[in-house]
Amino acid sequence: MSTPMGCGAMMKSVMEVLLLLMLFFTAHAKEKSYSPPEKPTQTRCRSPEKETFTCWWEPGSDGGLPTTYALYYRKENSETVYECPDYHTAGENSCFFNKNDTSIWVNYNISVVATNALGRAFSDPVDIDVVYIVEPNPPEKLTVAVMEDKGWPFLLVSWEPPHKADTRSGWITLIYELRVRLEEEEDDWEMHHAGQQKMFNIFSLRSGGEYLVEVRCKPDHGFWSEWSSTSYVKVPDYFHREKSMWILVAVFSALIFLILTWLLHMNSHSLKHCILPPVPGPKIKGFDNKLLKNGNSDEIFSALVVPNFPPASASKYEEMLVEYLEVYVPEEPELMLEESKDLLDGCLKSENSRSDSDSGRGSCDSHTLLMDKCGETKEEERQTNRESSLMETQGWKEEAINHDTSGKVKTWPSVYSPLPQYGSNPLDKQSSLETAKQHSLSTSSFLTQPGTKDALGPSYTDFCLSNKENHLHPQTLAHRALQTQSDVNISNIGCKRSPATEYVEVQRVNKEDMVLLQPVVSRCGHIEGCPNLPKGEDYSKVKGVDCDNRLLLQREGTGEDVCPCVDQETNGEGGNCYTSSTVSTTQKPTACMYTAMPLQEETALALNGYVDTATMGNLPSC
Amino acid sequence: MDSFEIKITHYIPYFMQSVVWPLLLWPCLQTVSIPLDCREDQGGVNRCPSISQEKLLDRVIQHAELIYRVSEESCSLFEEMFIPFELQLQRNQAGYTCITKALPIPSSRSEIQQISDKWLLHSVLMLVQSWIEPLVYLQTSLNLYDVAPNTLLNKTKWVSEKLISLEQGVVVLIKKMLDEGLLTTNSEQGLFHNDAQPEMLESVMRDYTSLSCFKKDAHKMETFLKLLKCRQTDKYNCA
């Protein structure tokens, strides 16, 4: 039999087990766990104007149950706990303290409590002082305007402080900062610190750019506000005055440069002469430089070699010796004896152009070249004269060749003789002038005669020297004239034909540098009847002038005979003269001596040095 | 002798120029660094160089601003080094109060807007004068620390010096603005007493409290002065 006590105990235990099971199951049946709320966190507290402030918190997990939050605070040194007066003004999970509840320079101890059915949770307390948590609102009424400063635009930015902040009484002192950027450049802000002023100028703008401007503020001890709303502005296109000025400057300078270059180019030649004057180089007269370029040595040498220079044969030398002087009587009434410095004038007047700019005048003075030139002309004359059947030589240039190797320039009267009456050949028709040049005063004055003087026979000629061109220097002429021992007896008047043996002496030199000659008062008025010719030591007697205008000098002989052949002088008849001369030669009747000889046989009077006596030996005897 | 005389005559101007005048004028060269010392003498002779009221006020405000900044830096330095995090947020729990609590100074904006200029200036002066000695004490206390950084010590030293010059400036300002004569206080002892040698923790807390209180009071001074400045509406434009 079981006892009834044992059944009761068993029943209790079963009931407890069932109860536990029920609780267990009910707990599982809900599928959720409730817990007290998590501790909330306080994020921040801010005061926008140092008069009110707001605190925000972050709730934690609420534990599944509706949870309420409450904020409690204590002021410093007071144990009274106050609850937040306003949970709604500032939004969710916030507490707003208005002016009455806000005390500055007072520490607040704030904590938030979360409460739900299962429990409550306290946040960590926070100590704040209102003056240290000031974060103002952004500035307001931001305006941006485009202004202009001397053609350059700038932005004038102005704003207002947040309306809640009391800056007027100085309760809050705000400093501002603004930022600018172009619309197309994101995140490329240009910051500007504006201090306490409420307007600002922004320069260095891009023409035609769109700009964004924002501003923010901060109290002297506090936090920066948020950026204000953006203000947009567009800068109008403006003309770069500075650039245009530089463009003008560049254009002008380019123009000036071009002009200068053109001028330089035009005057390059003269500039070159100015800066680098050409060095005068030696130039050989009559030598073509182009021959050098050609490179043909034969041509070069042939060019260098002047024909008839140096004279190849001794005979040529002899030809150049003066054996007789042929005189030309010009038609002009005047009798001018001139002396020209430029000897070459007379030399080359008829043919060659005198001017050779490169060579100095010394070339003319050089006796070697002189010979050359005179030789040329003589050669030409010879040729032309040979052409003519007549022996008369129309024109010839006569130069005195200085055989003196010392180089002294002696007197050389140069006589031109284009005689129109003789039908002068065209060679010398120009040179109707004669230039008598008496330079130095050597005792030996030479008179050359061209070798073309084939005309022989004595003839009387009148010596007439005229020079239309050059005038002597009066002094020199006078000096020389006075000292000159004229070896020529010259008829003084008008180139008349005068008897051969007649002396001429220089009367005077007139003002026009003309030597006036006068015949020596001679005993011999006529050639014919003058057997006794005064035979001075210094004079050479002029035998006569033949029709070829050659001065026939009497040979110094032993006064042999009078020259009856003189009678046969004719006046200007070429043929007769010639015949007469030839007659006289052939005849040889007398011991007349005549000096009209061909050049080869010319004799010089055996006097002093007026006439070269080199060929004395060749004189044929009469 | 002649050469010596010549040398003397030659070098005297140079000597005068380069040596004598600088020596004579040496005190004048130091005028730049001399603080504004406008203590009134017995005879009432004002030795101060004259300065305009606006400039003086600006200068005083600058002084106050600087003092506040430096004290703020000192406080944060101290906090980092000595105060554990838990206690930073509970400054008042230790029960230490600021020494200037008892002073009759306005503490709310409404109060401040109602009091006169005279009271503002006097409040500033009171604050300044009440902190001169505690700062000296703080300095000595900090020097006792083994690990106090030099920057902290230098800053506190600087602050105590600047406070003295600030006091002088405020005195002059009072004289100018209010036409009052004031005697500078000499070490008011009534506010602070420290008899016993406290424990280490307590001294730290006390110093920390001292620094915090001074920082707040520096801010007060600055605010008062700025308010005073903007009250001169005809001279300033604080809008």
Side-chain angles (χ1 to χ4, degrees):
Chain A
M1 207 121 47
S2 56
T3 57
M5 287 290 280
C7 278
M10 255 187 76
M11 285 294 287
K12 273 189 183 172
S13 61
V14 170
M15 288 297 286
E16 285 167 0
V17 170
L18 281 173
L19 204 65
L20 284 170
L21 283 172
M22 271 177 66
L23 281 170
F24 181 72
F25 282 130
T26 52
H28 276 287
K30 289 206 175 159
E31 295 176 348
K32 212 170 161 184
S33 61
Y34 295 104
S35 65
E38 230 180 310
K39 157 164 97 168
T41 51
Q42 297 197 54
T43 51
R44 62 187 183 127
C45 293
R46 289 285 180 261
S47 168
E49 74 285 87
K50 225 194 300 189
E51 294 167 36
T52 65
F53 70 103
T54 311
C55 282
W56 290 272
W57 67 85
E58 186 76 25
S61 150
D62 60 352
L65 295 167
T67 315
T68 57
Y69 296 92
L71 186 142
Y72 298 99
Y73 65 92
R74 272 192 316 115
K75 291 189 179 181
E76 66 178 23
N77 302 328
S78 166
E79 295 300 327
T80 315
V81 179
Y82 301 95
E83 192 178 347
C84 173
D86 189 342
Y87 287 103
H88 306 289
T89 311
E92 187 98 11
N93 297 327
S94 69
C95 178
F96 176 75
F97 295 82
N98 58 10
K99 286 189 190 181
N100 297 331
D101 298 325
T102 307
S103 309
I104 49 173
W105 293 308
V106 171
N107 275 3
Y108 282 77
N109 190 306
I110 299 172
S111 56
V112 178
V113 178
T115 313
N116 69 356
L118 291 176
R120 46 167 65 178
F122 290 87
S123 67
D124 293 329
V126 167
D127 268 337
I128 57 160
D129 196 335
V130 178
V131 294
Y132 299 141
I133 56 165
V134 182
E135 181 185 328
N137 292 329
E140 298 164 3
K141 296 182 188 169
L142 176 65
T143 60
V144 184
V146 180
M147 313 290 283
E148 201 175 275
D149 169 44
K150 293 174 194 169
W152 296 96
F154 66 94
L155 292 178
L156 179 63
V157 188
S158 64
W159 58 87
E160 294 282 323
H163 65 275
K164 282 189 190 170
D166 182 15
T167 53
R168 199 188 166 284
S169 68
W171 183 244
I172 293 184
T173 309
L174 293 174
I175 55 174
Y176 302 95
E177 187 181 67
L178 51 83
R179 64 179 187 180
V180 189
R181 75 168 169 99
L182 280 167
E183 188 173 353
E184 47 267 17
E185 293 174 17
E186 299 238 0
D187 298 328
D188 188 12
W189 291 98
E190 183 182 320
M191 311 296 285
H192 295 280
H193 190 76
Q196 289 186 24
Q197 61 202 29
K198 294 184 201 44
M199 60 176 64
F200 197 77
N201 295 331
I202 299 176
F203 298 94
S204 302
L205 300 173
R206 191 184 299 181
S207 151
E210 272 224 24
Y211 286 93
L212 282 72
V213 186
E214 289 175 358
V215 67
R216 67 175 181 178
C217 58
K218 176 175 101 81
D220 42 9
H221 308 289
F223 301 98
W224 279 106
S225 72
E226 295 293 324
W227 287 103
S228 67
S229 56
T230 311
S231 199
Y232 294 88
V233 69
K234 183 171 188 322
V235 179
D237 296 316
Y238 60 92
F239 191 56
H240 261 261
R241 270 190 218 164
E242 202 176 83
K243 253 189 204 171
S244 70
M245 184 191 79
W246 284 115
I247 288 169
L248 271 175
V249 166
V251 166
F252 271 123
S253 52
L255 271 175
I256 289 167
F257 179 71
L258 278 175
I259 288 168
L260 280 175
T261 312
W262 180 75
L263 278 173
L264 266 177
H265 182 255
M266 296 300 287
N267 296 334
S268 63
H269 195 64
S270 60
L271 270 179
K272 251 193 264 177
H273 272 275
C274 201
I275 296 168
L276 304 168
V279 177
K283 184 174 167 181
I284 303 173
K285 214 171 173 183
F287 183 71
D288 193 3
N289 284 338
K290 288 178 188 169
L291 287 176
L292 283 174
K293 290 177 193 170
N294 292 339
N296 194 351
S297 58
D298 288 343
E299 290 177 5
I300 294 168
F301 289 132
S302 63
L304 282 173
V305 172
V306 177
N308 295 330
F309 184 81
S313 58
S315 63
K316 287 206 176 175
Y317 273 114
E318 293 169 1
E319 287 175 0
M320 291 187 233
L321 293 178
V322 178
E323 292 196 37
Y324 57 92
L325 179 68
E326 301 187 14
V327 178
Y328 150 72
V329 179
E331 293 180 352
E332 292 91 347
E334 281 182 337
L335 184 68
M336 290 192 297
L337 177 64
E338 283 186 76
E339 178 179 318
S340 165
K341 268 193 200 165
D342 193 354
L343 304 174
L344 205 56
D345 284 353
C347 288
L348 302 175
K349 192 153 301 175
S350 59
E351 288 91 20
N352 305 336
S353 72
R354 181 159 62 94
S355 64
D356 191 346
S357 59
D358 283 340
S359 56
R361 290 157 69 95
S363 64
C364 282
D365 294 335
S366 160
H367 63 280
T368 52
L369 278 177
L370 196 64
M371 279 172 66
D372 167 37
K373 289 162 198 156
C374 302
E376 281 179 3
T377 57
K378 272 193 282 181
E379 185 62 35
E380 292 163 2
E381 288 160 3
R382 279 186 212 139
Q383 290 165 0
T384 54
N385 283 330
R386 284 194 192 110
E387 288 168 8
S388 67
S389 56
L390 301 177
M391 287 298 295
E392 64 267 15
T393 62
Q394 272 70 31
W396 52 277
K397 290 183 240 166
E398 193 176 59
E399 302 129 346
I401 293 179
N402 184 5
H403 289 280
D404 188 0
T405 55
S406 68
K408 278 194 236 171
V409 172
K410 314 290 184 200
T411 62
W412 42 65
S414 153
V415 179
Y416 282 155
S417 60
L419 279 183
Q421 52 263 42
Y422 289 112
S424 60
N425 62 359
L427 191 67
D428 292 321
K429 61 182 157 202
Q430 299 168 7
S431 55
S432 57
L433 308 174
E434 299 159 343
T435 56
K437 297 160 188 169
Q438 300 179 354
H439 276 265
S440 66
L441 320 166
S442 77
T443 52
S444 66
S445 116
F446 298 86
L447 300 172
T448 64
Q449 46 279 356
T452 57
K453 309 301 177 284
D454 296 328
L456 302 176
S459 59
Y460 298 98
T461 60
D462 286 339
F463 192 92
C464 179
L465 307 172
S466 71
N467 188 347
K468 280 185 187 163
E469 286 190 331
N470 298 326
H471 290 272
L472 270 174
H473 291 283
Q475 295 119 4
T476 53
L477 180 58
H479 177 67
R480 286 169 185 170
L482 289 174
Q483 295 182 10
T484 302
Q485 305 156 359
S486 72
D487 50 346
V488 175
N489 295 333
I490 305 168
S491 68
N492 58 342
I493 299 170
C495 305
K496 287 186 225 164
R497 307 262 165 194
S498 60
T501 56
E502 193 170 273
Y503 290 96
V504 177
E505 62 185 14
V506 177
Q507 186 182 26
R508 61 182 170 89
V509 178
N510 70 351
K511 288 176 191 174
E512 293 162 40
D513 300 336
M514 292 189 301
V515 175
L516 300 179
L517 304 169
Q518 66 182 12
V520 176
V521 177
S522 62
R523 300 131 265 196
C524 321
H526 299 283
I527 298 171
E528 292 96 341
C530 189
N532 295 327
L533 299 170
K535 196 166 48 168
E537 293 176 350
D538 302 332
Y539 291 94
S540 309
K541 271 194 188 167
V542 174
K543 197 75 179 153
V545 180
D546 71 349
C547 47
D548 291 332
N549 298 329
R550 283 179 291 180
L551 200 63
L552 305 174
L553 299 175
Q554 188 175 16
R555 189 184 193 177
E556 169 139 340
T558 52
E560 294 170 0
D561 289 325
V562 189
C563 318
C565 49
V566 175
D567 301 333
Q568 296 172 13
E569 180 190 2
T570 59
N571 292 330
E573 293 181 19
N576 296 336
C577 257
Y578 188 75
T579 46
S580 64
S581 59
T582 46
V583 161
S584 52
T585 11
T586 49
Q587 281 179 3
K588 276 189 175 182
T590 60
C592 144
M593 297 189 228
Y594 52 88
T595 56
M597 304 283 273
L599 198 62
Q600 291 80 12
E601 297 174 50
E602 273 182 1
T603 74
L605 294 175
L607 287 176
N608 45 23
Y610 288 101
V611 180
D612 199 330
T613 56
T615 57
M616 229 175 174
N618 299 333
L619 284 174
S621 58
C622 237
Chain B
M1 257 338 243
D2 286 344
S3 62
F4 181 72
E5 282 171 354
I6 289 169
K7 278 183 188 170
I8 287 283
T9 53
H10 180 68
Y11 286 118
I12 273 180
Y14 175 73
F15 179 72
M16 288 290 290
Q17 241 180 323
S18 57
V19 177
V20 174
W21 289 118
L23 280 179
L24 290 178
L25 296 176
W26 179 247
C28 299
L29 296 175
Q30 290 180 330
T31 51
V32 178
S33 57
I34 291 177
L36 202 62
D37 186 2
C38 295
R39 281 189 175 79
E40 218 173 334
D41 288 339
Q42 295 280 337
V45 176
N46 190 358
R47 290 190 296 123
C48 288
S50 69
I51 182 172
S52 72
Q53 187 177 313
E54 299 82 29
K55 282 203 178 128
L56 181 60
L57 188 55
D58 280 337
R59 216 184 268 192
V60 168
I61 289 171
Q62 284 170 10
H63 260 77
E65 265 183 354
L66 270 175
I67 287 169
Y68 171 73
R69 284 221 180 93
V70 174
S71 68
E72 188 181 21
E73 290 165 10
S74 307
C75 198
S76 25
L77 268 176
F78 195 91
E79 260 182 30
E80 286 171 25
M81 286 213 66
F82 299 108
I83 309 296
F85 183 72
E86 304 85 39
L87 293 178
Q88 277 181 12
L89 307 175
Q90 301 171 19
R91 284 168 209 158
N92 296 327
Q93 281 190 355
Y96 293 100
T97 61
C98 288
I99 50 178
T100 56
K101 188 93 172 126
L103 291 176
I105 49 178
S107 57
S108 68
R109 184 166 178 249
S110 53
E111 283 181 38
I112 291 166
Q113 281 176 333
Q114 286 167 11
I115 65 171
S116 61
D117 296 352
K118 175 181 173 180
W119 262 118
L120 270 177
L121 270 174
H122 278 281
S123 303
V124 172
L125 189 61
M126 269 194 280
L127 280 170
V128 171
Q129 285 172 341
S130 64
W131 271 107
I132 291 177
E133 181 145 325
L135 277 180
V136 174
Y137 185 78
L138 177 66
Q139 187 81 11
T140 56
S141 176
L142 285 174
N143 286 332
L144 292 177
Y145 290 14
D146 296 332
V147 293
N150 276 340
T151 51
L152 180 63
L153 297 173
N154 290 342
K155 283 184 200 294
T156 50
K157 186 167 182 229
W158 185 90
V159 165
S160 58
E161 286 168 7
K162 281 299 174 197
L163 203 64
I164 294 168
S165 59
L166 180 66
E167 185 206 5
Q168 292 168 357
V170 173
V171 165
V172 172
L173 201 61
I174 285 171
K175 196 185 311 181
K176 272 184 182 282
M177 289 177 76
L178 307 177
D179 297 327
E180 291 177 8
L182 270 183
L183 295 172
T184 56
T185 60
N186 299 321
S187 68
E188 287 190 7
Q189 299 282 345
L191 293 175
F192 188 75
H193 297 281
N194 185 28
D195 301 325
Q197 190 75 357
E199 293 176 7
M200 186 58 192
L201 182 66
E202 287 184 1
S203 74
V204 167
M205 289 307 297
R206 191 175 60 245
D207 291 339
Y208 181 62
T209 308
S210 185
L211 275 171
S212 309
C213 287
F214 177 71
K215 176 175 127 183
K216 196 175 292 189
D217 287 341
H219 193 272
K220 277 186 196 173
M221 288 183 243
E222 184 190 336
T223 307
F224 290 170
L225 288 167
K226 282 183 179 174
L227 280 167
L228 188 66
K229 171 182 161 182
C230 288
R231 281 189 185 191
Q232 324 292 321
T233 50
D234 51 345
K235 296 167 196 170
Y236 296 101
N237 184 14
C238 292

